[in-house]
Amino acid sequence: MKKGLFITFEGTEGSGKTTQLHLLAEVLKKYGIPHIVTREPGGSRLATQLRRWILNQLDYKLMPRTELLLFLADRAQHVGEVIEPALQQGKVVLCDRYSDSTLAYQGGGRGFDLKLLKVLNGAASNLRPDLTVLFDLPVAVGLKRALGRGKGKDRMERESLKFHRAVQRIYRETARKEKDRFIVVNAGQNRELTYHEMLGKLIERLPLRKKVKKRG
Ligand code: TMP
């Protein structure tokens, strides 16, 4: 049975979610709250290979169905190998992308049927995040930021503005439908303001609440 807390971080390209996730991990560390930081694709041993094939092997034409099934294979392994054991130990799991990325990217971006994707997400794992933080910002601003990192574009970053806008539409729709699970943060602000907004919205729902109040 699950004892920990499962928090996922989502957003379009260049939303700064990874930076904010690590800032939150620092807070948990400071308050001695056991946690792990992980990501998709990429959290299991198998994932290092999968991530390369899905995102970086650009000379290889990956069929959209293959891409979808590889993301799901990555998730099935990641949940069983990394996430569930950590939750069973009572840890907070901070996960950079999860099933909402599949809905947004493969649904919005690639055009797969959302109902089908929900079934397939369920086949990969039944584990639902307790909380999902969505970092929302204008798509063009995020893409410019991502490009500014100078790492070169991966398979998704090469897609059109239209693709990324469709990704954002699904994120926003999902957040509207699942208000109990989602926290939406304005990621168009600078790093510090984004951080404060995230922390302010999260703090009421995190186990560090009492400790922070005691100290403050
Ligand atoms: P990131 O780690 O830099 O966020 O890159 C991961 C990329 O993979 C990002 O473009 C979103 C994409 N992705 C999907 O398309 N579907 C998925 O299910 C997941 C987990 C990620």
Side-chain angles (χ1 to χ4, degrees):
M1 214 183 77
K2 184 164 90 69
K3 289 186 286 184
L5 187 72
F6 183 28
I7 309 178
T8 58
F9 290 69
E10 297 281 357
T12 46
E13 306 300 320
S15 67
K17 65 182 169 40
T18 308
T19 306
Q20 298 295 336
L21 184 159
H22 283 96
L23 291 173
L24 183 64
E26 284 298 311
V27 177
L28 297 182
K29 195 170 158 202
K30 186 171 154 200
Y31 288 97
I33 295 167
H35 65 279
I36 63 159
V37 168
T38 188
R39 68 171 177 171
E40 285 195 6
S44 67
R45 265 181 69 200
L46 174 72
T48 316
Q49 295 292 327
L50 287 181
R51 191 175 172 95
R52 182 167 67 83
W53 280 103
I54 304 173
L55 294 173
N56 304 119
Q57 199 72 48
L58 298 173
D59 56 353
Y60 188 66
K61 181 163 169 25
L62 207 56
M63 299 301 146
R65 270 171 207 277
T66 315
E67 178 191 273
L68 165 64
L69 293 169
L70 288 178
F71 278 121
L72 295 170
D74 172 65
R75 178 153 322 122
Q77 187 63 24
H78 184 215
V79 169
E81 189 180 318
V82 178
I83 301 178
E84 275 177 351
L87 291 174
Q88 272 157 19
Q89 289 165 23
K91 292 182 179 165
V92 178
V93 173
L94 303 179
C95 185
D96 195 342
R97 298 197 181 280
Y98 190 66
S99 50
D100 296 302
S101 281
T102 312
L103 282 189
Y105 281 80
Q106 279 64 54
R110 300 277 187 241
F112 282 99
D113 179 55
L114 292 180
K115 279 195 194 131
L116 170 70
L117 291 179
K118 283 180 188 162
V119 172
L120 291 174
N121 268 342
S125 169
N126 283 322
L127 187 66
R128 184 178 184 261
D130 296 299
L131 285 174
T132 298
V133 190
L134 174 62
F135 293 88
D136 189 75
L137 83 171
V139 164
V141 174
L143 282 170
K144 206 170 154 197
R145 269 193 203 165
L147 210 67
R149 289 177 193 146
K151 280 194 202 157
K153 290 184 185 174
D154 68 24
R155 200 183 298 275
M156 295 299 172
E157 286 161 352
R158 286 178 170 227
E159 292 294 341
S160 65
L161 206 56
K162 192 172 160 229
F163 175 100
H164 290 286
R165 289 208 169 111
V167 171
Q168 182 175 59
R169 187 170 48 76
I170 301 296
Y171 269 137
R172 287 178 171 172
E173 269 175 32
T174 315
R176 261 199 305 276
K177 283 186 193 146
E178 295 189 50
K179 289 205 174 71
D180 59 324
R181 174 164 71 90
F182 271 86
I183 288 169
V184 182
V185 172
N186 172 11
Q189 332 170 67
N190 68 35
R191 187 181 292 188
E192 192 149 69
L193 289 174
T194 306
Y195 170 70
H196 286 295
E197 187 178 326
M198 170 185 75
L199 209 58
K201 287 182 170 171
L202 267 174
I203 219 149
E204 290 300 318
R205 309 215 212 171
L206 283 180
L208 56 73
R209 184 181 170 194
K210 279 189 205 128
K211 292 188 187 177
V212 172
K213 282 202 168 158
K214 248 187 240 162
R215 289 190 180 200

